[in-house]
Amino acid sequence: MPRYEYRCRTCGDTFEKSRPMAESSAPAACPAGHDDTVKLLSTVAVGGSASASSPAPASSRTTGGGGGCCGGGCCS
């Protein structure tokens, strides 16, 4: 079940609530009982190694070939 993060406009507390996606936009009272809350936009952390996300060296890149703006001719 997804977790959503909310902030209370009355007391400023930030809290999380697990609920079905169908109820993601439903109001959520803060733990202190205040009803004036707003759902925050949460970011997703993705793990991995730095070497996996680094670009390939120029000598190993292929040029030309499919996709893109003009069949790869401008990507060299």
Side-chain angles (χ1 to χ4, degrees):
M1 189 172 310
R3 294 182 64 80
Y4 298 96
E5 190 173 18
Y6 299 86
R7 183 177 49 84
C8 178
R9 292 180 179 164
T10 304
C11 65
D13 191 21
T14 301
F15 61 97
E16 292 183 350
K17 197 166 194 75
S18 294
R19 52 178 27 176
M21 290 177 71
E23 297 177 16
S24 66
S25 60
C30 89
H34 305 119
D35 291 325
D36 189 14
T37 60
V38 62
K39 187 171 82 168
L40 301 176
L41 180 61
S42 300
T43 58
V44 177
V46 178
S49 65
S51 62
S53 63
S54 54
S59 61
S60 69
R61 290 186 201 144
T62 58
T63 58
C69 56
C70 55
C74 62
C75 298
S76 54

